[in-house]
Amino acid sequence: MKKLIVTIDGPAASGKEKIAKYISKKWKLNHLDSGILYRRLALIFLIEKIDIKNINKIENKLKEIDQISFRNSNHIRTQAISKLASKIAIHNCVRRFINKLQYNFVNKNKKMRGFVIDGRDIGSVVFKKADLKLYIDVNPEIRAKRRYKQLIDSGEKSIYRKILKDIKLRDKQDKLRKHSPLVIPKGSHIINNNGSFKDTINQINILLDKI
């Protein structure tokens, strides 16, 4: 049986993970969060003090890494790791490395019904032939408020205005980066996630029922 592939693209803090978890549970699909891989790689670089401005050191380190855990955890959800992940994501060698991990994971797990994968270039670059492509649209102010609440709830001190500034900067970096910039993937459905989660999943359920 052909594996079902659902991709979820969108800017930082747009709710991709929450939506992916909902689809994963409803349709019994394996959830793959590309952001976790970038964050875990950023943590490795941070711990080992890899100079992220030195492309040769980055490439050499990537050759040493065989696998990265796909598991989520609070210690990779900090603002510091988030910023570092964004900085290393501009490098093509890093994106190729992360994309390969995702390809291999999907191809090796042949017995699974399918996958719901979220990120910032999943439907546009990584899985262009996905069965359903979603692009999550949320204005920066709402994303900043949600991110602020998430950080406060996890016990991390935070300032809303700083988060909003960081999100706008990250949007600019993601859209202007040379390799795999953030775009609305061809053939994707734009999902408005400015309102309640119920309103969001109602939009998505209509699309899922048509697959």
Side-chain angles (χ1 to χ4, degrees):
M1 184 178 74
K2 179 181 177 292
K3 286 195 292 284
L4 181 66
I5 302 292
V6 176
T7 60
I8 304 178
D9 288 87
S14 56
K16 298 185 296 294
E17 181 185 10
K18 186 176 182 179
I19 291 169
K21 285 182 176 179
Y22 167 80
I23 295 174
S24 173
K25 184 177 181 180
K26 181 178 175 65
W27 284 76
K28 295 180 174 58
L29 302 178
N30 190 281
H31 176 208
L32 190 58
D33 182 349
S34 66
I36 289 176
L37 299 178
Y38 283 103
R39 287 171 180 270
R40 286 201 173 276
L41 186 59
L43 181 61
I44 292 172
F45 285 3
L46 182 65
I47 292 173
E48 300 192 17
K49 297 180 180 179
I50 304 297
D51 182 0
I52 63 169
K53 294 181 180 179
N54 188 319
I55 194 66
N56 290 326
K57 290 186 177 180
I58 290 176
E59 290 178 338
N60 288 336
K61 186 59 194 176
L62 292 177
K63 290 176 183 177
E64 298 175 7
I65 303 173
D66 295 322
Q67 188 57 269
I68 293 179
S69 173
F70 285 80
R71 285 188 177 185
N72 196 4
S73 61
N74 288 334
H75 71 280
I76 62 170
R77 289 292 176 181
T78 65
Q79 280 292 87
I81 292 297
S82 179
K83 286 183 179 180
L84 185 56
S86 180
K87 288 178 180 178
I88 66 174
I90 66 172
H91 298 300
N92 196 32
C93 61
V94 171
R95 303 200 72 83
R96 286 200 311 267
F97 175 79
I98 297 297
N99 289 350
K100 185 177 180 181
L101 291 179
Q102 295 176 95
Y103 283 132
N104 290 343
F105 187 83
V106 169
N107 290 330
K108 287 179 180 178
N109 291 277
K110 298 182 183 298
K111 293 182 179 180
M112 292 183 178
R113 182 172 186 267
F115 298 83
V116 52
I117 310 153
D118 63 275
R120 292 186 185 83
D121 64 348
I122 303 302
S124 59
V125 176
V126 190
F127 295 99
K128 292 182 178 180
K129 297 181 179 180
D131 299 282
L132 176 64
K133 296 181 182 182
L134 305 176
Y135 182 87
I136 313 305
D137 185 35
V138 193
N139 72 52
E141 289 75 19
I142 291 178
R143 283 188 278 142
K145 288 179 182 178
R146 290 173 180 172
R147 179 61 175 157
Y148 172 78
K149 184 179 184 303
Q150 182 185 46
L151 291 171
I152 293 297
D153 290 346
S154 67
E156 185 175 350
K157 292 182 180 180
S158 192
I159 300 173
Y160 167 76
R161 283 177 295 178
K162 187 176 185 304
I163 293 175
L164 178 59
K165 182 180 179 181
D166 288 344
I167 279 179
K168 288 182 176 180
L169 176 61
R170 192 162 184 178
D171 285 352
K172 184 177 180 180
Q173 291 173 338
D174 285 341
K175 291 176 180 178
L176 296 179
R177 69 176 174 237
K178 183 178 179 181
H179 305 292
S180 303
L182 173 66
V183 297
I184 299 176
K186 184 179 180 181
S188 65
H189 300 269
I190 299 176
I191 303 298
N192 185 322
N193 192 28
N194 285 306
S196 69
F197 189 63
K198 183 178 179 180
D199 289 339
T200 299
I201 63 174
N202 282 341
Q203 298 173 63
I204 293 171
N205 285 336
I206 292 172
L207 298 171
L208 287 172
D209 289 336
K210 293 179 180 179
I211 296 180

